[in-house]
Amino acid sequence: MTAILERARSARTRARRWLLPVAFAAFVATAGAAFAGLPGGLDVDPRLLVASTLLVCPLSTAANAAEFAATAHALGRRVPPTEALRVAVLSSAANLLPLPGAVAVRTAQLRGAAGTKRALAVTAAAGICWLGTALLAADLAAAGVVLAAAGAAVVVAAGVVVHRNAARPSAWWWIWACEVGQVAVGAVRLGLAVAALGVDVDVRQSLGLAVAPVAGSAVGVLPGGRGVREGIAAGIA
């Protein structure tokens, strides 16, 4: 049995060595195909795309990891930064499935701390808070009372769920701060992407666009909300 386990570990190590270059090659090929498929005459600034990829994307992963660590803290568990980053990457990948994969991955990681029911409640509340925060950010762009009321109601509802199920209810403020950071990073990333296409955007417009990926991720029946967030962003633009 020990020999079998050792062979399994060795196989996983070898797989990791070749999966990374394969994933990188797939990324380069996909990016090249995307550029080749752009309409003729479109002036794209590659510097902004590189800045979005190399600077903003790692910040997004770090914000996801901080959110998971805050959720774990609310449930009475301390998570090392390396584990938080690992779960953030896995949950982001799982969210590409046609189901709420990120919630499933995070709940599975935290159920040992407080049970499946409480772990699911707090994890889902963090996601709901993300949506509410995005609506509040969109309100800053549109100056609409409806979005402000909806966003505030969603954030308050998420806070109530956390306070009822968390071992450390005060961690709710940490969770909300992480959601604010995620929305801000998402707004910067979308702003850079739109600016790379030669479209002038200001801070308020970027905040308005930030609601698109959040709403898209909330549609679990589509892989990563593909198509939904693009349609919302196009509608806002």
Side-chain angles (χ1 to χ4, degrees):
M1 179 62 71
T2 302
I4 294 175
L5 292 175
E6 288 297 329
R7 284 198 296 269
R9 293 192 186 97
S10 178
R12 286 197 299 269
T13 301
R14 291 195 300 270
R16 289 171 183 168
R17 290 174 181 172
W18 62 263
L19 277 176
L20 182 58
V22 167
F24 180 75
F27 168 77
V28 172
T30 303
F35 273 107
L38 290 173
L42 187 63
D43 187 17
V44 179
D45 188 347
R47 296 171 300 177
L48 295 178
L49 295 180
V50 170
S52 177
T53 301
L54 298 182
L55 299 178
V56 184
C57 287
L59 287 176
S60 179
T61 302
N64 270 317
E67 180 199 44
F68 176 73
T71 305
H73 180 72
L75 292 169
R77 179 185 169 192
R78 184 181 180 278
V79 176
T82 52
E83 182 182 351
L85 283 171
R86 181 181 65 84
V87 174
V89 172
L90 289 176
S91 60
S92 297
N95 217 32
L96 297 175
L97 299 173
L99 48 85
V103 174
V105 169
R106 295 182 180 213
T107 301
Q109 293 292 322
L110 296 174
R111 62 185 179 183
T116 301
K117 183 179 178 180
R118 291 182 181 274
L120 176 59
V122 175
T123 300
I128 294 171
C129 180
W130 183 33
L131 176 60
T133 305
L135 290 174
L136 287 172
D139 171 70
L140 294 177
V145 177
V146 175
L147 285 178
V154 171
V155 170
V156 170
V160 171
V161 172
V162 171
H163 275 75
R164 288 182 176 178
N165 293 274
R168 297 189 179 104
S170 60
W172 155 245
W173 299 105
W174 182 9
I175 294 175
W176 191 19
C178 292
E179 307 309 341
V180 172
Q182 287 205 74
V183 171
V185 170
V188 172
R189 181 169 57 183
L190 282 172
L192 287 174
V194 174
L197 298 176
V199 180
D200 293 330
V201 291
D202 56 26
V203 175
R204 294 181 63 183
Q205 290 171 322
S206 296
L207 287 173
L209 290 171
V211 74
V214 184
S217 297
V219 183
V221 295
L222 295 174
R226 292 298 186 269
V228 175
R229 62 183 186 181
E230 285 80 4
I232 295 174
I236 294 174

